[in-house]
Amino acid sequence: MNQTQIVVIAKEPVPGKVKTRLVPPLTPEEAAAVAGAALEDTLRTVALAPAVRRVLVLDGAPGAWLPAGFTVLPQRGGGLDERLAAAFEDAYRLLPVPVVLIGMDTPQVTPDLLADAVALLDGRDAVFGPANDGGFWLLGLRDPDPALLLGVPMSEPDTGEIQLRRMEAAGMSVASLPCLTDVDTMADAIEVAALAPRSRYAAALAGIGTRL
């Protein structure tokens, strides 16, 4: 029986607070709509993946985009490293089984990719999904330790490399997943929409019009 939980860390899709690097050419309202669609795609994919529990660690309040079956926990901490560490810590404290964590920036993720992460974590200490921007789109830990994340500089070209070195220096066995593109810039947004043409995210982006 699978004994891994999947955690999504995300922001409520509020205009002016999400996907601000897409403004311009998008308006804050359009960027929030795209972010909301990406979040809903991600959550629905997680709902189809094998997990003993599904958790949303949220900055904000849940809305109609949240599928049934998720435990919702509030984000805590200042910087992203603190919030990621706290997400692992809080989820593991409530249910002490391995944790696979992803964000809301890869709506192209599939249930099969998440199933691979869960399966790999069964035999390794960690599983790592690198992102094209130098960060990571997924991190799985069998026995989460906040110290593995605290102090790692986030949103830098070498974030993923530093995080990987941190785990290897701790003597952990780490499995790797394919590299994916995070939606950060407008070029990223268009690339990811082409990879997931039938997603809510792609439909939201296409509905904005020809300014892209």
Side-chain angles (χ1 to χ4, degrees):
M1 179 181 174
N2 171 42
Q3 288 295 316
T4 299
Q5 56 187 317
I6 301 179
V7 175
V8 180
I9 185 165
K11 291 181 179 180
E12 178 187 1
V14 175
K17 293 189 175 182
V18 290
K19 292 283 154 259
T20 54
R21 290 176 66 186
L22 302 183
V23 181
L26 303 190
T27 67
E29 290 74 20
E30 289 168 341
V34 168
L39 176 55
E40 188 170 357
D41 283 331
T42 301
L43 293 171
R44 290 182 180 274
T45 298
V46 169
L48 296 172
V52 69
R53 186 178 71 153
R54 297 164 183 85
V55 181
L56 173 63
V57 180
L58 183 64
D59 177 1
W65 39 262
L66 178 64
F70 279 76
T71 299
V72 180
L73 301 176
Q75 283 189 32
R76 61 183 181 89
L80 181 55
D81 62 323
E82 294 179 4
R83 286 180 279 131
L84 290 173
F88 276 105
E89 186 177 23
D90 293 347
Y92 191 78
R93 183 176 63 249
L94 292 176
L95 184 65
V97 300
V99 177
V100 167
L101 180 145
I102 65 170
M104 60 187 284
D105 294 338
T106 49
Q108 74 273 39
V109 70
T110 63
D112 285 347
L113 267 177
L114 295 180
D116 288 346
V118 168
L120 287 166
L121 196 55
D122 191 45
R124 306 289 182 94
D125 297 317
V127 60
F128 182 78
N132 279 338
D133 62 1
F136 53 91
W137 65 271
L138 179 147
L139 182 62
L141 298 171
R142 282 190 61 80
D143 185 11
D145 180 356
L148 290 168
L149 290 128
L150 292 173
V152 172
M154 295 291 163
S155 303
E156 299 291 341
D158 57 354
T159 292
E161 181 185 347
I162 293 170
Q163 183 63 70
L164 194 55
R165 282 207 308 263
R166 179 83 67 93
M167 294 187 291
E168 290 171 343
M172 300 171 70
S173 57
V174 183
S176 293
L177 288 173
C179 187
L180 296 187
T181 297
D182 278 341
V183 176
D184 289 322
T185 67
M186 207 63 231
D188 299 333
I190 294 167
E191 176 188 340
V192 169
L195 294 171
R198 288 188 259 179
S199 63
R200 291 168 182 79
Y201 162 79
L205 198 62
I208 288 168
T210 58
R211 289 183 292 113
L212 310 182

